[in-house]
């Protein structure tokens, strides 16, 4: 097997930025003309995060091929520049589910089913299947959780077996771990927790060959030398991941420290002298020079955990940079919003966005937000749930259907705007057909057929198409099937009032933002200039 494996572990505690580190290494390698694949191994026993609360797990990131995955895979695609398949996301729950299903069907022929070799073997099988399918030069594997967690022991053992299969010269373990400052007068960075994390990983059969040290402040050379000494690795294999103001700066910072040279040296690969990070750095330098700001109100139901809207946040930033502005997000919990306080709440914003969501809680406030945007000519973007509620607000306050609703919220409503039509969830990438070249939809996407990622069950009731059209609210795109599901909606005679049933945040990447976000930010800039 020619593929080189890079395994990224986390030490001491979670939320260290393993995903950003792994994605940054991927971006560097890709800019150096290497073919890169990325895999996330998740220890938890949920099959996937599709049924998990946003408060537990943050957003559910949707892959092009109908995968419901961890938000880290969004970093893989945006920062790493890698297109991720559902096969590249492997949870312990999905592995155990497959094994138990096979055992119940008698496929183990009466043998005892055990963690070793069956669970570890299944993890290996899935990893090798990805490598065989994608044939990358490098396969970067991020291990969820923290070194020593009980639930990740089988994953670590499987990686030990891969190391044995391919040989040490094809297997690079990297430990991401923090240096902790206790404050006080000395400001000393404590290295002992990371030393113990290194030893814990050694005790599990894997010796980290490289360190990426997370810190809130710069790391001195003597600390690097100390970590190299205690972890038995060369000092030029120890890297700093200081907290930066922007995660897109991380690839350039690691590149500046020559992490790419250390990786190529470890694997005995000669670096192409003509390959560099210049294109990425040009993009980053452009971002650093941007001074102008627009303010976008993000109205939602899960404001306590911003990770619930991780891809929406990044899509707003990326579209802002393409429009030469920084986007300031005003976080607004929907529950308290009313007709009486909407003007005060939205007085200082240049645009409003309502992202995806489920359930009835907080919808009255969202409806008032949409009404304010429509009546006051404030640029508005409604994504999935935000489009559904935009049609409901219009049906109630313009068409006069006071009980208009979705059956998700009120199954007994007489005027059903959105219904659970065919008992399925539309998931993953599907074609959208834009009906007319004179629409805002066509102006945003400049094509009659586009691919977008979906995650929804309720669909617009086409019975009301003409009612909306008579009042200049049109369905400007539909699905490429017999259902003709509404995909985009827009209001004429408004600076920017646009809704989409799909999730454009999953199609937004550096230097290639989705049209819906570009349109919102462009309209917000004009609104600010009034």
């Amino acid at each position: 097997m020619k593929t080189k494996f890079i395994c990224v572990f986390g030490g001491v505690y979670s939320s260290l930025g393993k995903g950003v580190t792994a994605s940054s290494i991927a971006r560097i390698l890709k800019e150096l003309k290497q073919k890169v694949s990325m895999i996330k191994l998740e220890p938890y026993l949920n099959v996937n995060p599709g049924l998990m609360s946003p408060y537990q797990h943050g957003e559910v990131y949707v892959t092009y091929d109908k995968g419901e995955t961890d938000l880290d895979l969004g970093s893989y695609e945006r920062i790493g520049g890698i297109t991720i398949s559902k096969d590249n996301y492997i949870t312990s729950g999905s592995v155990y589910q497959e094994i138990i299903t096979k055992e119940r069907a008698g496929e183990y022929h009466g043998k005892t089913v055990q963690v070793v070799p069956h669970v570890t073997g299944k993890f290996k099988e899935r990893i090798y299947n990805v490598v065989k399918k994608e044939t990358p030069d490098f396969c970067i594997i991020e291990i969820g959780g923290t070194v020593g967690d009980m639930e990740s022991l089988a994953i670590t053992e499987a990686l030990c077996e891969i190391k044995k299969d391919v040989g040490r010269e094809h297997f690079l373990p990297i430990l991401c771990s923090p240096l902790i400052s206790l404050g006080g007068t000395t400001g000393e960075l404590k290295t002992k927790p990371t030393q113990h994390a290194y030893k814990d990983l050694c005790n599990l059969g894997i010796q980290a060959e490289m360190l990426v040290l997370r810190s809130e402040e710069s790391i001195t050379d003597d600390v690097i030398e100390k970590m190299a000494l205690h972890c038995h690795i060369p000092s030029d294999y120890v890297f700093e991941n200081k907290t930066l103001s922007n995660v897109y700066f991380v690839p350039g910072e690691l590149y500046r420290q020559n992490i790419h040279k250390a990786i190529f040296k470890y694997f005995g690969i000669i670096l192409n002298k003509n390959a560099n990070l210049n294109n990425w750095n040009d993009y980053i330098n452009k971002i650093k020079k941007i001074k102008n700001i627009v303010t976008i109100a993000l109205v939602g139901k899960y404001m306590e955990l911003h990770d619930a809207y991780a891809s929406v946040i990044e899509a707003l930033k990326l579209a802002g940079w393409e429009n030469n502005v920084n986007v300031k997000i005003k976080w607004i919990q929907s529950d308290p919003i009313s007709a009486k306080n909407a003007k005060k709440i939205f007085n200082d914003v240049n645009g409003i966005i309502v992202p995806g969501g489920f359930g009835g809680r907080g919808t009255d406030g969202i409806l008032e937000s949409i009404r304010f945007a429509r009546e006051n000519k404030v640029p508005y973007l409604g994504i999935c749930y935000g489009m559904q509620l935009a049609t409901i607000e219009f049906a109630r306050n313009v068409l006069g259907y006071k009980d208009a609703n979705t059956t998700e919220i009120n199954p007994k409503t007489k005027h059903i705007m959105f219904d659970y039509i065919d008992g399925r969830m539309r998931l993953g990438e599907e074609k959208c057909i834009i009906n007319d070249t004179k629409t805002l939809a066509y102006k945003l996407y400049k094509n009659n057929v586009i691919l977008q990622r979906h995650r929804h069950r309720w669909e617009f009731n086409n019975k009301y198409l003409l009612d909306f059209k008579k009042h200049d609210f049109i369905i400007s795109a539909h699905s490429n099937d017999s259902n003709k599901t509404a995909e985009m909606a827009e209001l004429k005679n408004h600076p920017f009032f646009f809704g989409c049933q799909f999730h454009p945040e999953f199609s937004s990447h550096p230097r290639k933002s989705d049209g819906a976000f570009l349109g919102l930010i462009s309209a917000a800039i004009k609104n600010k200039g009034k």
Side-chain angles (χ1 to χ4, degrees), residues 34-65:
Q34 302 298 306
K35 186 176 181 182
V36 184
S37 176
M38 299 190 73
I39 296 174
K40 177 72 181 288
L41 302 180
E42 198 70 83
Y44 56 61
L45 292 180
N46 302 74
V47 173
N48 63 44
L51 298 179
M52 295 174 72
S53 164
Y55 291 120
Q56 286 281 311
H57 195 268
E59 76 169 8
V60 175
Y61 188 82
V62 178
T63 63
Y64 73 91
D65 57 350

Side-chain angles (χ1 to χ4, degrees), residues 73-355:
L73 274 72
S75 294
Y76 296 177
E77 294 207 330
R78 287 186 296 268
I79 301 175
I82 311 296
T83 300
I84 299 295
S85 163
K86 62 184 178 182
D87 296 334
N88 299 48
Y89 182 69
I90 307 169
T91 69
S92 292
S94 66
V95 166
Y96 278 100
Q97 182 186 52
E98 183 177 350
I99 290 170
I100 291 170
T101 300
K102 288 179 67 176
E103 188 275 334
R104 291 291 82 192
E107 293 184 32
Y108 290 106
H109 307 292
K111 294 179 180 178
T112 302
V113 181
Q114 298 175 293
V115 172
V116 180
H118 299 100
V119 175
T120 55
K122 184 57 65 177
F123 274 110
K124 287 170 58 181
E125 177 187 318
R126 291 198 182 180
I127 292 168
Y128 288 154
N129 284 344
V130 169
V131 171
K132 289 175 184 176
K133 179 178 72 172
E134 300 183 7
T135 61
D137 299 310
F138 293 90
C139 178
I140 301 175
I141 302 173
E142 180 194 352
I143 297 84
T146 307
V147 169
D149 289 346
M150 182 180 293
E151 57 264 34
S152 64
L153 295 179
I155 291 174
T156 307
E157 179 62 28
L159 294 173
C160 287
E161 293 180 19
I162 290 178
K163 179 183 177 183
K164 178 177 177 293
D165 291 346
V166 303
R168 177 185 176 277
E169 66 275 15
H170 298 288
F171 186 91
L172 170 58
I174 298 177
L175 177 63
C176 295
S177 194
L179 297 182
I180 301 171
S181 174
L182 299 180
T185 56
T186 64
E188 181 184 1
L189 288 174
K190 296 297 182 181
T191 64
K192 193 66 71 176
T194 289
Q195 292 179 44
H196 283 295
Y198 170 84
K199 291 177 181 177
D200 286 343
L201 189 56
C202 287
N203 289 338
L204 295 172
I206 292 178
Q207 178 181 351
E209 305 281 0
M210 204 170 280
L211 295 179
V212 177
L213 303 174
R214 183 68 186 272
S215 175
E216 294 296 320
E217 53 196 84
S218 296
I219 301 171
T220 58
D221 290 342
D222 62 317
V223 172
I224 289 176
E225 292 293 341
K226 179 179 179 181
M227 294 307 302
L229 175 65
H230 284 280
C231 297
H232 317 297
I233 60 177
S235 58
D236 59 351
Y237 281 18
V238 181
F239 300 93
E240 170 188 285
N241 185 8
K242 181 183 176 182
T243 300
L244 301 175
S245 61
N246 189 323
V247 294
Y248 298 96
F249 297 169
V250 178
E253 180 59 25
L254 290 177
Y255 182 81
R256 183 190 65 78
Q257 297 177 56
N258 292 318
I259 196 171
H260 56 297
K261 292 183 179 178
I263 290 171
F264 278 72
K265 178 181 175 182
Y266 179 87
F267 287 120
I269 300 172
I270 298 174
L271 178 63
N272 183 346
K273 293 182 179 179
N274 295 322
N276 54 57
L277 214 67
N278 288 349
N279 289 335
W280 182 258
N281 286 334
D282 287 345
Y283 174 66
I284 297 306
N285 289 332
K286 175 191 173 184
I287 293 172
K288 290 179 178 179
K289 294 176 183 177
I290 294 173
K291 302 298 182 184
N292 294 325
I293 297 173
V294 294
T295 302
I296 303 295
L298 194 157
V299 183
K301 302 163 64 171
Y302 315 111
M303 293 295 107
E304 296 89 343
L305 183 68
H306 291 181
D307 273 355
Y309 305 106
S311 290
V312 173
I313 296 167
E314 297 307 314
L316 287 170
K317 291 178 185 176
L318 295 170
W321 295 331
E322 283 196 49
N323 278 284
N324 204 38
V325 295
N326 288 309
V327 175
K328 177 184 177 182
I329 297 176
K330 182 175 182 179
W331 295 89
I332 300 178
Q333 184 73 32
S334 63
D335 300 80
I337 302 172
S338 67
K340 293 181 179 180
N341 63 19
K343 183 176 181 180
K344 181 179 179 181
I345 290 173
F346 296 113
N347 184 54
D348 59 345
V349 306
N350 310 120
I352 298 172
I353 184 170
V354 174

Side-chain angles (χ1 to χ4, degrees), residues 331-386:
W331 295 89
I332 300 178
Q333 184 73 32
S334 63
D335 300 80
I337 302 172
S338 67
K340 293 181 179 180
N341 63 19
K343 183 176 181 180
K344 181 179 179 181
I345 290 173
F346 296 113
N347 184 54
D348 59 345
V349 306
N350 310 120
I352 298 172
I353 184 170
V354 174
F358 290 93
R361 180 183 65 81
T363 53
D364 288 343
I366 294 175
L367 289 168
E368 285 299 335
S369 305
I370 296 168
R371 181 174 184 171
F372 180 86
R374 179 177 58 80
E375 292 181 346
N376 293 277
K377 306 294 185 182
V378 177
Y380 173 78
L381 172 60
I383 296 174
C384 195
Y385 201 58

